[in-house]
Amino acid sequence: MIDVGAVSAWPSPALPYLTRDKSEFPVSIEEGSWLPSIINISALFGNIPAPIIMNRIGRKYTLLVLGVLQLISWILVNLSHNYTILLAARLLAGVSIGGTFCMLPIYIGEISAKNIRGFFLSLDKIFMNGGAFVINTLGAFLPYETMNLIMIAVPIAAICMFPLMSETPYFYLMKDRDEEAINTLMILSAVKNPEMVMEDITRMKEAKQQFNPIRKKFSATVVHLSHQDMQQ
């Protein structure tokens, strides 16, 4: 979320440099207007597939994919020597932002206990605002190239800490991997007795059973509509 905030606020310190005559590749005002707005368009391509991907490969590895996309985006920004590459970097950043907004609250909700869930869900907004503050501070005191280079450290740090992350118990239950779900929930709850987490496991199983009929009905409706379209 630090990176999301930084990417969203990046045009604020970057555009004054890019639109001046001394820029390595001067950007017109019209071209510059696309740099902050294009991420809102490409974010749709992160919003839509994120729920599908996270149910296929898991919440944990979906976050890894988003982190890699953020890293590639910053690398492109640092290597961009023309407007086209810079715009492509912003497009990729938008995909990552869209996926993060869709995915991260689900991940936080599934790994955190009820009594602290609201606190952690609030933290992601705080860190997003912190990222915007960081990028504007760097832009105020450092050259454009140095600012971009420093921001690469954010996704790199997230990827390096990836092995410390845990998959969510709910995802394991979705895949009928009950033992892994119990072990993971025991680690997250800091308990050693499986009986202490069985109440939560039962609740998750009930939620899964309630969700499955809805998902099957939705899938059947999509198939039926697709079949009708083909006939038409």
Side-chain angles (χ1 to χ4, degrees), residues 73-200:
S73 172
W74 281 114
I75 291 174
L76 289 176
V77 169
N78 279 272
L79 297 179
S80 60
H81 299 292
N82 59 66
Y83 176 74
T84 302
I85 297 177
L86 190 60
L87 191 64
R90 295 291 291 172
L91 280 167
L92 193 60
V95 174
S96 176
I97 287 177
T100 301
F101 271 121
C102 180
M103 168 65 209
L104 192 58
I106 296 175
Y107 180 78
I108 293 174
E110 291 184 1
I111 66 166
S112 56
K114 291 184 291 184
N115 59 327
I116 58 172
R117 189 171 299 147
F119 170 74
F120 279 111
L121 288 172
S122 299
L123 274 182
D124 67 341
K125 306 302 185 295
I126 295 173
F127 280 115
M128 184 180 70
N129 292 327
F133 173 78
V134 167
I135 195 73
N136 279 288
T137 302
L138 293 176
F141 295 100
L142 297 175
Y144 170 80
E145 294 83 0
T146 307
M147 173 188 72
N148 293 329
L149 189 61
I150 291 175
M151 290 311 301
I152 290 183
V154 177
I156 288 178
I159 293 171
C160 289
M161 290 188 289
F162 177 76
L164 301 177
M165 295 175 58
S166 173
E167 184 55 82
T168 70
Y170 187 79
F171 174 74
Y172 284 135
L173 290 175
M174 285 178 58
K175 300 300 180 181
D176 296 321
R177 295 156 63 177
D178 292 14
E179 185 175 349
E180 291 174 271
I182 294 171
N183 291 335
T184 300
L185 191 56
M186 288 172 60
I187 294 172
L188 293 172
S189 303
V191 298
K192 296 182 179 180
N193 187 355
E195 295 298 326
M196 298 181 69
V197 300
M198 291 310 297
E199 181 179 349
D200 288 329

